[in-house]
Amino acid sequence: MSITPADEVLSRTVATLRAAGCVFAEEEAQLLLEAAATPAELDALVRRRAVGEPLEVIVGWAGFCGLRVRVDAGVFVPRQRTRFLVDLAVELARPGAVVVDLCCGTGAIGAAIAARVPGIDLSCADVDPQAVRCARLNVGPDAHVYEGDLYDALPDSLRGRTDVLVVNAPYVPTDEIAMMPPEARDHEPKHALDGGADGVGMHRRVAAGAPAWLAPGGSLLIETSEEQAPLTARAMADHGLVPRVSTSDEMYCTVVVGTLPRD
């Protein structure tokens, strides 16, 4: 933070970001000022943001649930609405609970749950090697991070023992990816965005495998959209889970929770 945010520098940065379409130009300008070591570096950072590179990648981190989560280039950036998924998972987790963050990306969800419920047994998994490297830095040495396609990544020791299975899998319909903001569609991996024709393709795969990994009474939590929630809930019910839909108007987030009956 060697740049002093003089009024003229800050004003010029805000104006450039606003002209590029940044909705939160003032807040972003301050973060870029803090991240730059020299005026030349500030100019370079502002240019990167103006062409649509995610702010979190430029500064190297995202604020999420009170944590500073490392975000590397090419990895899905945690969304603020996903705090609602964390809130619901925290209600279900207890010290000693086995928690799995599937499709973990940066590991932000798992890290946030662990910060609020000390003593959980946390495992994270993702198919993307870049995401796995990033998650290992975010969740710390007490958690386990695996690489692979959904449940194929997990060790058999977790089978039938998972109390809380949290999933923020892609749920954007394929045809709608082109309408996403450029920082997402141009800079995040497509496999982290594309949910298939109706956006629920990955949810169906997750729901199909979940009963084998959940402990009796354990719950699967999937972030989805309000429109897609009935399809996500149906996928859970089709595989023996009892679904319920929770929506946060404040965070503009919908989560379907499916519980495995104890019997």
Side-chain angles (χ1 to χ4, degrees):
M1 297 196 304
S2 62
I3 287 185
T4 301
D7 289 345
E8 62 273 16
V9 177
L10 181 60
S11 297
R12 184 172 67 249
T13 303
V14 169
T16 302
L17 295 176
R18 188 175 288 126
C22 298
V23 176
F24 303 104
E26 291 82 1
E27 293 86 346
E28 294 193 9
Q30 188 63 54
L31 289 171
L32 293 175
L33 283 165
E34 293 172 358
T38 66
E41 185 176 353
L42 175 61
D43 289 342
L45 297 183
V46 171
R47 285 195 298 272
R48 289 170 62 187
R49 182 62 185 133
V51 298
E53 190 170 348
L55 176 70
E56 295 83 359
V57 171
I58 295 170
V59 301
W61 60 275
F64 183 76
C65 293
L67 303 177
R68 181 174 284 203
V69 176
R70 174 166 172 163
V71 180
D72 292 339
V75 178
F76 182 81
V77 176
R79 306 320 198 230
Q80 291 305 312
R81 61 175 173 268
T82 303
R83 292 177 296 159
F84 183 57
L85 176 61
V86 171
D87 289 344
L88 294 177
V90 166
E91 291 177 3
L92 297 171
R94 298 290 181 269
V98 176
V99 178
V100 174
D101 180 2
L102 202 61
C103 304
C104 70
T106 61
I109 296 170
I113 297 169
R116 292 173 58 183
V117 190
I120 64 170
D121 182 352
L122 175 64
S123 293
C124 303
D126 201 284
V127 71
D128 187 343
Q130 284 182 281
V132 168
R133 287 193 294 270
C134 194
R136 286 185 174 133
L137 296 172
N138 285 321
V139 300
D142 294 332
H144 308 281
V145 183
Y146 304 101
E147 180 183 333
D149 183 29
L150 296 183
Y151 301 105
D152 289 346
L154 302 179
D156 282 342
S157 59
L158 293 176
R159 192 180 294 271
R161 294 183 52 242
T162 303
D163 299 299
V164 181
L165 175 58
V166 289
V167 184
N168 186 13
Y171 57 91
V172 179
T174 303
D175 291 344
E176 296 181 17
I177 291 177
M179 295 180 282
M180 295 184 73
E183 54 259 43
R185 69 171 187 261
D186 295 338
H187 295 277
E188 292 180 321
K190 186 177 180 182
H191 65 77
L193 305 173
D194 192 344
D198 62 358
V200 191
M202 189 67 74
H203 295 180
R204 294 187 180 95
R205 290 185 60 202
V206 170
W213 295 88
L214 289 173
S219 294
L220 164 65
L221 297 86
I222 300 181
E223 179 179 317
T224 187
S225 71
E226 192 169 0
E227 296 77 15
Q228 293 162 316
L231 298 177
T232 303
R234 173 59 63 86
M236 292 186 184
D238 285 346
H239 295 283
L241 304 180
V242 180
R244 62 181 173 89
V245 178
S246 295
T247 298
S248 169
D249 293 332
E250 177 187 359
M251 299 186 201
Y252 195 63
C253 183
T254 298
V255 174
V256 181
V257 181
T259 302
L260 183 68
R262 292 187 179 276
D263 57 1

